[in-house]
Amino acid sequence: MTISLTVNGTEHAVDLPGEVPLLWALRDELNLTGTKYGCGVAACGACTVQIDGQPVRSCQVALADVWGPVTTIEGLGTPDAMAVIQQAWVDHQVAQCGYCQSGQIMQAAALLAETPEPTDDEIDAAMQGNLCRCGTYPRIRAAIHDAARAMKV
Amino acid sequence: MSRIGKIARRTFLVGSAAIAGGVAFGVYYANKGMTNPLQHAKGETTLNPYVLIDAQGVTLIAPRAEMGQGTRTTLAALVAEELDVAWEDIRVIHGPPGQAYYNHAMFGGILPVAEYKKGPVAEHLGQMAGYLGKALQTQITGGSSSMADAFEKMRHAGATARETLKLAAAKRFDLNASDLRTENGTVIAPDGRSLTYVELAPAAAEIAPPDVDLRPATEWKYLGKSMPRVDMVEKSTGTATFGIDVRPEGLVYAALRINPHFGGGMTGFDDTEARKMPGVQKIIHFGTGIAVVASNTWLAMKAAEAVEIDWETSPHPATQEAIFASIRTALDGAPNSTLRDDGDAGTVPEGASLVEAEYSLPYLAHAAMEPMNATALYTGDELILWSGNQAPILHRKHCAEAVGLAPEAVTVHTTYMGGGFGRRGEYDYSVYAARVAKEMKGTPVQLTWSREEDMTHDFYRPGGLGRFRGAVKDGKAVLLDGRIAAQSCLRQAGARMMGFESGGPDKALVEGAFDQPYRIPNHRITGHIAELTLPVGFWRSVGASLTAFMYDSFIDEMAHAAGADPLDFRYQMMKDEHAPSAACLAAVREMSGWTGKTPEGIGRGVGFCHSFGTPVAQVIEVEQTAGGIRISKAWIACDPGIVLDPSIVEAQMIGGMIYGLSAAAFGEITFTNGAADQQNFPDYDAIRMHTAPKTEVRVLTANPRLSGVGEPGTPPAMPALGNALFDLTGQRARALPLNKSFDLIV
Ligand code: FES
Ligand code: FES
């Protein structure tokens, strides 16, 4: 079955059963490997992407149910043209192993779009679904605050 | 394969120095020095093939793998410091499997001597044991040893390359090398003429590298400063390639299902339904389970679930009770080791009051964020493996055996790892990928474990029991007698990795307890090996991850029994035994404004552990809130001797502590009928954004030797949290995880 999908502004036709989660279409069909698999059960956030600007766990969204254009970490910015939030991540040297960070950044970007100046409590609430086994939380928090400031000016 | 990858591989596997259009420094010696591993040859530190120059510039070859600990960045800084190349121009790749990359420092750590007590004799013996690493071909990332191992070697590699390039330039300019200087990848003459390293490389390849002195720390430009990590932009843009991200041409995807009942095989299976499922290309059976190859990982996982399998039962004990009964039998029995036995630990000194406690810790999974996976292509006479791993030589060897090739016919590409924590020193996941690839000749296959497969097929941190007996008098400890029982990681993992089981006293079972810098007149620690065969392995901080909770919680109990302030109690017994350790305690006292008193609703605990040569003290603060107990603040002080990169040290200290807090608060693997009960993060949770404490770190540098930072942050976190909960609630924490007995916020 062919399903059409808009990812990072490009339209794709993927030939997969409609029940396949978006995550696995991105990774194995479109080779957009920035989005990660961590648990497959909505418990880690490594697979977070945005659909219509909303943060979603792509391991939980069936291809047939994708309701709008998808943005992945690759669509947020590139090494040569990073988004403000990605620059904040670099400035704060957030990543350790880095495996969770695509999901963290996509989640944080959605938070900032909704709440331009989040408090610590708002960051706690928005980010608690994103696990980081390396324990980069303090730097993630600092980077979010910094990105918020940078986006204001 | 990238061009540089090809060059590096050919250079090091073939062992030739000069290559078309490029030169690798140190390779001359790689051949020579490797023949007699136990000989301490002059110039030994320069034998490492770490610097490669070709038409595209300078590439540094990292002998240790990057699993998040920042090793790639600091290894690059070590070479660059001497080589004089601009930070932006440095490229770093992971070295191919090579004996020249053996880890000297890790094996230096196996002697049964407390690290803080190492004098010149032990130091020398440690050096000799280090050469064993070379003999055993250990290219291993572990034991928090990367920096200690590389500190001299990598700088020498850079310095030697620089001086050789200067000699080549001196010939061209007709000047003395001593008249020349180097900067940003160029050699510059006093009259302003200059030649780039790239231009000089072919001529330099013909010159025998001279002996060079290293620059003093006062001249360092990169070392000692927080350098932008070389992997940071990639990891912030989703462009870093982890094992799970390699996409060779024509790749197909596979999923695995192995008997969850350890030690059990498979008596039969029915794959009729699975074969009909979309995308399925092949179903492969091993004696212990199956793999499904499909056009997509998820389709492969679904089909793997649909295969009906008759599992054999497990030979392991059927219940948790039986497992811990076996550990208790070991605890009651004769010791395997008595690595500390000061004074008379069998007798309670007159007039002292007795303190006794027992501790129980569960088995733990590593739960690295990236599930186990590897990718392999088998062509019939060659195997190419892409695998995020901590031990490429071992992975190569065992994959070669699995597919019936010589090790030389196996190419290993070590990718970034989405966490290792000790799990990726094991080679099982690479071997499974190789076996599947063999059945798919000519087609590359990526085998990804589901999280459930990953969690139920780990090599776990062993569970253990501790029985401690102590006595206090006049505010001080006068007796500490601890017994610790658990399975031996060293024996089991050692057998897997080295091919033989090490006998003798198992230091890894009691490290974190026998080697703590306390002056207690009657002081004994015995280790007791439980004769269980559940799969166990190295878990961040190894033995100390188990023993520090027992030992340090008990010190805290003694402090309270003595009516002393727990931080000062530790400090007084430590200050004359090991000043750098005591200084860490003093630092957290000051940082946290420790008074020994806490207001209602707040609890504070101190924890300390000296591991991998690095003392670490932590104060943890907990707070009773309406929603439960929150781990609100933490202060960490450590002393790794020399700080090569402050930002990385800070990150490792915080990350190590959070890994320890996750385990202390939530971590537990239990077994039923030889199978792990926990399958995925909902059953095996960890610290998250809202449960992580606000943390401050101070790094001291009074320790005489450079030591590791990747693991030492983990052990003290567990007792510090338990001690804080005691301060808050009056209830002693003697069993982990703590969420079973305390109302922690999840
Ligand atoms: S992989 Fe989707 S939440 Fe973990
Ligand atoms: S950086 Fe490793 S899991 Fe978050």
Side-chain angles (χ1 to χ4, degrees), chain B residues 264-461:
Chain B
M266 177 171 83
T267 50
F269 70 103
D270 178 357
D271 62 3
T272 324
E273 289 309 309
R275 274 180 194 287
K276 294 183 210 148
M277 290 173 69
V280 172
Q281 298 184 4
K282 193 162 195 162
I283 297 180
I284 297 159
H285 57 93
F286 313 112
T288 51
I290 55 113
V292 176
V293 181
S295 58
N296 181 290
T297 306
W298 191 81
L299 294 174
M301 285 178 182
K302 283 289 132 187
E305 282 167 27
V307 178
E308 289 182 33
I309 306 178
D310 300 319
W311 298 125
E312 271 176 13
T313 56
S314 167
H316 296 290
T319 63
Q320 276 294 103
E321 290 68 34
I323 291 166
F324 275 81
S326 172
I327 300 173
R328 184 165 294 281
T329 303
L331 188 71
D332 293 335
N336 155 262
S337 73
T338 308
L339 292 183
R340 181 162 217 157
D341 195 2
D342 303 337
D344 172 13
T347 314
V348 179
E350 277 232 359
S353 28
L354 192 66
V355 187
E356 288 178 299
E358 274 204 27
Y359 301 95
S360 166
L361 287 89
Y363 285 75
L364 294 172
H366 294 84
M369 205 66 203
E370 179 191 12
M372 295 302 110
N373 67 84
T375 304
L377 168 62
Y378 173 81
T379 60
D381 48 15
E382 203 189 354
L383 181 80
I384 303 172
L385 178 77
W386 294 264
S387 168
N389 74 86
Q390 296 173 242
I393 295 179
L394 283 171
H395 282 242
R396 184 177 67 175
K397 174 173 183 274
H398 289 276
C399 288
E401 278 167 15
V403 300
L405 289 173
E408 298 73 45
V410 178
T411 305
V412 180
H413 298 285
T414 297
T415 62
Y416 283 129
M417 280 172 261
F421 311 126
R423 177 65 179 87
R424 287 185 156 97
E426 304 282 351
Y427 45 79
D428 53 331
Y429 56 97
S430 288
V431 169
Y432 277 121
R435 289 172 72 180
V436 173
K438 190 172 183 187
E439 303 297 319
M440 297 292 296
K441 192 171 162 182
T443 303
V445 190
Q446 179 163 91
L447 179 65
T448 301
W449 298 23
S450 65
R451 173 58 61 190
E452 290 79 6
E453 245 354 82
D454 178 286
M455 198 166 280
T456 55
H457 294 91
D458 203 343
F459 295 92
Y460 303 93
R461 198 293 303 274

Side-chain angles (χ1 to χ4, degrees), chain A residues 27-28 36 43 93 137 139, chain B residues 244-245 297 650 687-688:
Chain A
R27 291 188 50 80
D28 294 0
K36 305 301 189 205
Q93 298 280 296
Y137 306 115
R139 290 189 182 184
Chain B
I244 204 168
D245 300 331
T297 306
E650 184 203 71
I687 295 288
R688 291 167 179 269

Side-chain angles (χ1 to χ4, degrees), chain B residues 115-325:
Chain B
E115 288 284 330
Y116 79 91
K117 277 188 171 172
K118 268 194 182 169
V121 174
E123 186 77 346
H124 175 72
L125 285 171
Q127 288 274 325
M128 292 310 291
Y131 291 106
L132 263 178
K134 183 149 55 171
L136 294 169
Q137 304 210 347
T138 56
Q139 183 182 358
I140 293 178
T141 305
S144 289
S145 57
S146 296
M147 289 310 133
D149 180 64
F151 184 51
E152 301 262 318
K153 272 198 225 173
M154 298 296 277
R155 285 186 298 149
H156 264 293
T160 308
R162 181 193 72 225
E163 289 306 312
T164 313
L165 290 158
K166 277 166 74 178
L167 286 172
K171 265 193 197 157
R172 294 271 291 272
F173 293 144
D174 201 15
L175 287 166
N176 288 326
S178 55
D179 296 334
L180 306 175
R181 64 189 180 89
T182 47
E183 197 183 301
N184 287 348
T186 41
V187 182
I188 305 165
D191 59 13
R193 282 181 295 164
S194 70
L195 286 165
T196 65
Y197 289 177
V198 172
E199 290 169 306
L200 290 166
E206 306 297 321
I207 298 171
D211 273 342
V212 188
D213 286 335
L214 297 178
R215 288 173 175 159
T218 47
E219 286 177 22
W220 286 349
K221 303 179 296 285
Y222 298 144
L223 298 174
K225 306 205 170 55
S226 295
M227 300 305 295
R229 277 178 58 151
V230 295
D231 52 354
M232 197 52 70
V233 170
E234 287 172 276
K235 288 179 174 178
S236 307
T237 51
T239 54
T241 303
F242 295 86
I244 204 168
D245 300 331
V246 298
R247 289 289 178 274
E249 194 62 36
L251 184 66
V252 295
Y253 302 87
L256 189 71
R257 227 179 115 206
I258 296 295
N259 191 344
H261 308 277
F262 286 110
M266 177 171 83
T267 50
F269 70 103
D270 178 357
D271 62 3
T272 324
E273 289 309 309
R275 274 180 194 287
K276 294 183 210 148
M277 290 173 69
V280 172
Q281 298 184 4
K282 193 162 195 162
I283 297 180
I284 297 159
H285 57 93
F286 313 112
T288 51
I290 55 113
V292 176
V293 181
S295 58
N296 181 290
T297 306
W298 191 81
L299 294 174
M301 285 178 182
K302 283 289 132 187
E305 282 167 27
V307 178
E308 289 182 33
I309 306 178
D310 300 319
W311 298 125
E312 271 176 13
T313 56
S314 167
H316 296 290
T319 63
Q320 276 294 103
E321 290 68 34
I323 291 166
F324 275 81

Side-chain angles (χ1 to χ4, degrees), chain B residues 8 46 59 118 161 220 250 256 281 284 296 363 427 446 471 473 532 557 568 574 610 619 666 740:
Chain B
T46 63
T59 299
K118 268 194 182 169
W220 286 349
L256 189 71
Q281 298 184 4
I284 297 159
N296 181 290
Y363 285 75
Y427 45 79
Q446 179 163 91
K473 194 178 170 183
L532 289 156
E557 297 208 29
D568 194 56
M574 200 181 274
H610 186 291
V619 168
F666 310 114
K740 284 182 147 180

